[in-house]
Amino acid sequence: MKNVPPPAQELAIIDQELVRLDARRGQLLARRAYLLSPPAQPVRPLAPEASPQAPLPASPPPSAQNVLLMLGGVLLAIAAIAFTLVSWGHLGIGGRAAVLTGVTVLTLVVPVPLLRRGLRSTAEAVAALGLVLTVLDAYALYRVALPGTDGLGYTAAATAALAALWAGYGTALGALRGPLPAAVLTAQLPLTLWALATGSTPLTVAWALLVTAALDTALALRTGSGTVRGFAGVAAGTTASGALLVAGELSVSAWTPLTALRPDALLLAAAALGLFVARRRQAEWRAVALVCAAVAGLAGIAAVGEVVRTAVPDGWTAPGYLLCAVALSTVVRTRLPRPLVQGLAGAAGVVAALSVLWALPSVAVALLGGVAALPEIWTGLPAVPWPGQQAAPVVLLTAAGALAAVAYGPRRDARDTGAGDGVGVATVTRALALCGSLALGWAGVLVLPLALDAAYPVVVAMPLALTAASLAMVVGPRVPGGSPVRITALVCALAGSVGGSLVSLGSRSATVTALAVLSALFAGASVAAVAATNATRATEAARTRSTRSTRAVLACTAVAYTTALVTAACAVAGLSTGTTAVAVLAVPATVALLAARPSTRPVAVPIEVTAAGAALLAVILASGRAPVLALVLALCGVTAAGTAVRAERRTVAGYTATALFVLATWVRLAASEVSVPEAYTLPVTLPALAVGLLRRRRDPAASSWTAYGPGLAATLLPSLLAAWGDTHWSRPLLLGVAALAIALAGARLGLQAPLILGGTVLALVALHELAPYVVQAVGALPRWLPPALAGLLLLAVGATYEQRLKDAHKVRRSLGRMR
């Protein structure tokens, strides 16, 4: 409701508004008079804060003279081209020369007065047309005066002359930016075209490209123009790349050291050129110096490596290249500028990495070659597809030695530059080099027996010995490089154990021996790691030396290999799968005992999870025979019940044990073909409910699922399964009545477990009993009626969606308030 002021106050407000309107009207009339007055009158601003900003003076329109001169130059060039192409034949030789010379000279001279007048853009355009006319002059001269001359030879001479002419023209008119870059680009052609014109070999063409690159490099290093320097640098890189590609192809195709020397000499010359550029410009052009040094290093390695390749037997090329790379890597200990060192070392690293990649298939065969024995286990050593890389161990061990030398060799700069996290760069580099040296050395020794075609026992023993050595490094008190080296050793131990276990599948004795050794090794390493940590728990070094994750991995691996050992031993002994399943349960039982020890608590959860996997394996093995499966489930329940004694495992292990016991009971009843499971389940349910009632009286806050859930499920679920397979009406009726009573009792007493279990069983029994009649009724109805009813149901639910949602929330809150 609006408040209306008294009449006197309202009149005062109206009078104030009229005064404001009159003042505003006066301002607008004054502004209108000013706008209608002549421009010569002085400007009167409206207000200091509203004073408009003075407009910027408009840029002067383009000069008519510039436009005319540009159009004139374009028309002149067009006319010259048309004359050359159309009217050339009507003139004699002298006339032709005069016309060509006159038009070209006139076009090249016009930029001079244009530059004096400050018309630089127009001068650039006219000069570009003049350069085009010089090309037309050269073409016309060839067609008229020298028609029988070789095309490539003439083009080489013409491009050289044009490059010289344009360079002189651009130097004379330094204000023009186009002639000098054009001269640089044109100068790339003469030597190459000359080499092609003389019918030279590809190697001569490559030398021509390299000489051109050297001239471009000299120009880029000496010129003061940034534009010319950029064009010359790009041209030098392009021509040098072409020369390297041609020389590399010729070197690869050579089969004797003599034939490889000629292209290799070009590669070495290119490497020298790259090093020269890197040394001269390592301060100003750091990135360029780095790239040039890297390319020079690659070219040098390729040159020397190709000579080695032609002199060694097939299959030993990679070691030759790797030795060249190792020799080049010694540059890190020199006093050369840092960009050169980094580039050369990077080139050596790339070649070494490619050599290691060449040897990796051998490592993969050594690790996973035993997979071929899985289809026909214990029938002898499988035929492993060896890639034929006999030099793989040499490559891997050489690379490992080179990395070790990097880690332990003297530094070119003893100062350790600090990293952001407080760890020195030299320290990180040393740790990475040690990790790489360890991994490559391990791989080299691993493939050595296969490369030497050693006997089967040696092939099996080598990965086991490597695993033992790696585990000793993992748990050793002092290891160079710290945690990164330990982690690398752990990875090598795991990989070696997998390879050893797979390759041992060729015979029974080898399999059992290998699994026993691996189980002992990892168990011993786990115990040693725990002991070392407990002995020095207070120190930071101990936590770094043996972390919880490392101990967990060792312990879990020991459990896994012990499980595999038990399974393999039972299979070798010829025991049945049921007996094997029972024997495998010894592993989780032992783990449950060990996990209770205080020294094993940090890794208790991982090893218990791994032991649960062993129990699952036992269940799978026993799944073929129901009595054995019931026994296995009962034994698993016993193990879980023993674990539930520990306070921190009481909840999870207790529920698991109950579920396993109940499941074992059901399986046993099904195996005995019991048709009345209630006779066996009710004697369990009644005491369980009595125990639950006592538990609730002592602890009213206890959940009904804990108190009554196991007892009710022990009878309701087996009875439900029996009722679904029973053709009589008595069992479903009795089960339905019992389930209804349990659900009502749960609702009356506010207990979740009886309400949900009873209601679920009642609903399933009703569904089972009414399903045939529902199917019969649906079959008798018209086909359009079920979709129509479904649509009406959806409409009804949608119309009352909010209410249904509230009802669902209310039910959820009601269940949540129950115990």
Side-chain angles (χ1 to χ4, degrees):
M1 181 175 180
K2 297 182 179 180
N3 296 324
V4 180
Q9 185 178 356
E10 186 175 1
L11 287 174
I13 294 173
I14 293 174
D15 291 338
Q16 292 176 1
E17 291 294 330
L18 290 175
V19 170
R20 292 193 186 96
L21 291 175
D22 290 338
R24 182 58 180 165
R25 184 172 182 275
Q27 292 178 357
L28 294 175
L29 289 175
R31 183 61 181 172
R32 181 176 182 276
Y34 164 72
L35 295 174
L36 294 175
S37 62
Q41 295 182 0
V43 178
R44 184 180 60 183
L46 290 176
E49 63 274 9
S51 177
Q53 185 178 1
L56 295 175
S59 58
S63 173
Q65 185 180 12
N66 289 349
V67 176
L68 291 176
L69 287 172
M70 183 178 295
L71 290 177
V74 172
L75 292 176
L76 181 62
I78 293 174
I81 294 172
F83 178 80
T84 302
L85 296 178
V86 179
S87 303
W88 184 261
H90 300 288
L91 299 176
I93 295 177
R96 296 172 185 176
V99 171
L100 278 174
T101 303
V103 173
T104 304
V105 171
L106 179 61
T107 306
L108 294 176
V109 170
V110 167
V112 176
L114 293 178
L115 290 174
R116 291 176 181 175
R117 293 177 176 268
L119 305 175
R120 182 174 178 177
S121 300
T122 306
E124 292 280 2
V126 175
L129 295 174
L131 299 183
V132 173
L133 288 177
T134 56
V135 177
L136 292 175
D137 292 343
Y139 174 72
L141 180 62
Y142 171 72
R143 292 297 302 272
V144 174
L146 304 169
T149 308
D150 178 62
L152 283 177
Y154 179 79
T155 305
T159 51
L162 289 175
L165 175 63
W166 294 352
Y169 184 69
T171 304
L173 301 179
L176 296 177
R177 291 173 294 185
L180 288 178
V184 172
L185 296 178
T186 307
Q188 310 307 309
L189 301 175
L191 288 177
T192 305
L193 293 176
W194 170 79
L196 293 173
T198 56
S200 302
T201 60
L203 184 61
T204 305
V205 176
W207 275 108
L209 290 171
L210 185 61
V211 172
T212 304
L215 296 176
D216 294 331
T217 301
L219 178 61
L221 293 175
R222 292 183 175 275
T223 184
S225 173
T227 304
V228 176
R229 185 185 302 115
F231 275 91
V234 173
T238 304
T239 52
S241 300
L244 288 173
L245 289 176
V246 175
E249 182 180 0
L250 295 175
S251 180
V252 169
S253 60
W255 291 104
T256 61
L258 266 181
T259 55
L261 283 176
R262 298 178 62 191
D264 290 344
L266 191 146
L267 291 174
L268 291 176
L273 178 62
L275 290 176
F276 173 76
V277 174
R279 184 63 184 268
R280 285 291 302 272
R281 295 299 182 183
Q282 52 92 15
E284 299 89 345
W285 304 340
R286 185 179 181 85
V288 175
L290 186 64
V291 173
C292 290
V295 173
L298 292 174
I301 293 175
V304 180
E306 284 301 322
V307 175
V308 175
R309 176 188 65 83
T310 57
V312 298
D314 293 339
W316 290 84
T317 303
Y321 279 109
L322 181 58
L323 290 175
C324 296
V326 171
L328 183 62
S329 65
T330 57
V331 73
V332 297
R333 298 187 184 134
T334 64
R335 294 291 177 179
L336 290 175
R338 186 172 294 274
L340 272 74
V341 173
Q342 292 176 346
L344 294 174
V350 169
V351 175
L354 292 176
S355 302
V356 171
L357 286 177
W358 174 85
L360 285 184
S362 302
V363 181
V365 169
L367 286 177
L368 303 177
V371 176
L374 291 178
E376 299 178 358
I377 191 173
W378 297 337
T379 58
L381 182 64
V384 179
W386 177 249
Q389 298 172 346
Q390 304 299 327
V394 177
V395 171
L396 294 171
L397 294 175
T398 303
L403 287 177
V406 171
Y408 289 104
R411 301 286 175 185
R412 68 186 300 273
D413 189 357
R415 293 175 299 176
D416 192 3
T417 305
D421 58 352
V423 180
V425 173
T427 304
V428 175
T429 304
R430 181 172 180 266
L432 293 176
L434 287 174
C435 292
S437 177
L438 173 62
L440 293 176
W442 171 85
V445 177
L446 179 68
V447 302
L448 193 59
L450 295 178
L452 298 177
D453 196 14
Y456 178 65
V458 178
V459 175
V460 176
M462 183 59 72
L464 301 181
L466 288 174
T467 301
S470 300
L471 290 177
M473 188 171 295
V474 171
V475 299
R478 293 182 180 180
V479 176
S483 295
V485 176
R486 293 182 186 274
I487 294 173
T488 305
L490 179 60
V491 174
C492 292
L494 294 174
S497 65
V498 172
S501 59
L502 288 176
V503 78
S504 68
L505 297 177
S507 67
R508 289 178 170 83
S509 59
T511 301
V512 175
T513 303
L515 292 177
V517 171
L518 291 174
S519 301
L521 287 176
F522 279 96
S526 178
V527 173
V530 173
T533 303
N534 292 335
T536 56
R537 186 180 298 277
T539 62
E540 183 68 24
R543 287 194 291 269
T544 303
R545 184 166 54 249
S546 182
T547 61
R548 180 176 298 181
S549 58
T550 301
R551 286 179 284 153
V553 170
L554 293 173
C556 293
T557 307
V559 173
Y561 279 119
T562 303
T563 304
L565 173 62
V566 174
T567 306
C570 293
V572 170
L575 301 179
S576 63
T577 56
T579 306
T580 303
V582 176
V584 168
L585 290 179
V587 176
T590 306
V591 169
L593 295 175
L594 292 176
R597 296 171 59 87
S599 60
T600 319
R601 293 290 176 84
V603 296
V605 175
I607 62 175
E608 286 174 344
V609 172
T610 308
L616 180 60
L617 174 62
V619 171
I620 294 174
L621 292 174
S623 60
R625 296 182 59 190
V628 179
L629 179 60
L631 175 61
V632 169
L633 291 173
L635 292 176
C636 291
V638 172
T639 304
T643 305
V645 175
R646 295 158 52 192
E648 68 274 10
R649 298 286 187 270
R650 184 164 300 161
T651 302
V652 177
Y655 284 129
T656 304
T658 303
L660 288 171
F661 284 135
V662 172
L663 188 58
T665 304
W666 295 346
V667 173
R668 180 67 260 184
L669 293 176
S672 301
E673 298 181 356
V674 174
S675 59
V676 186
E678 292 83 2
Y680 299 91
T681 58
L682 282 176
V684 177
T685 296
L686 295 178
L689 292 178
V691 173
L693 181 61
L694 294 176
R695 171 78 182 276
R696 289 274 298 172
R697 285 183 178 180
R698 293 183 179 180
D699 184 12
S703 172
S704 62
W705 291 100
T706 305
Y708 306 119
L712 293 174
T715 295
L716 289 177
L717 296 182
S719 299
L720 178 63
L721 294 176
W724 272 53
D726 196 347
T727 58
H728 301 285
W729 59 271
S730 56
R731 184 190 300 274
L733 177 60
L734 294 175
L735 181 60
V737 172
L740 177 60
I742 293 172
L744 292 177
R748 177 68 180 81
L749 299 175
L751 301 175
Q752 280 187 7
L755 176 60
I756 294 178
L757 287 175
T760 302
V761 171
L762 179 61
L764 292 175
V765 169
L767 176 63
H768 178 266
E769 295 302 315
L770 296 177
Y773 302 101
V774 173
V775 171
Q776 184 178 1
V778 171
L781 293 176
R783 293 187 176 182
W784 57 268
L785 189 57
L789 293 176
L792 290 176
L793 178 62
L794 291 176
L795 289 176
V797 174
T800 60
Y801 174 75
E802 294 182 357
Q803 184 61 36
R804 301 287 79 79
L805 192 61
K806 292 179 181 179
D807 295 341
H809 287 307
K810 186 182 299 183
V811 172
R812 180 180 178 183
R813 288 193 297 270
S814 300
L815 288 176
R817 287 193 295 268
M818 294 182 178
R819 298 300 300 172

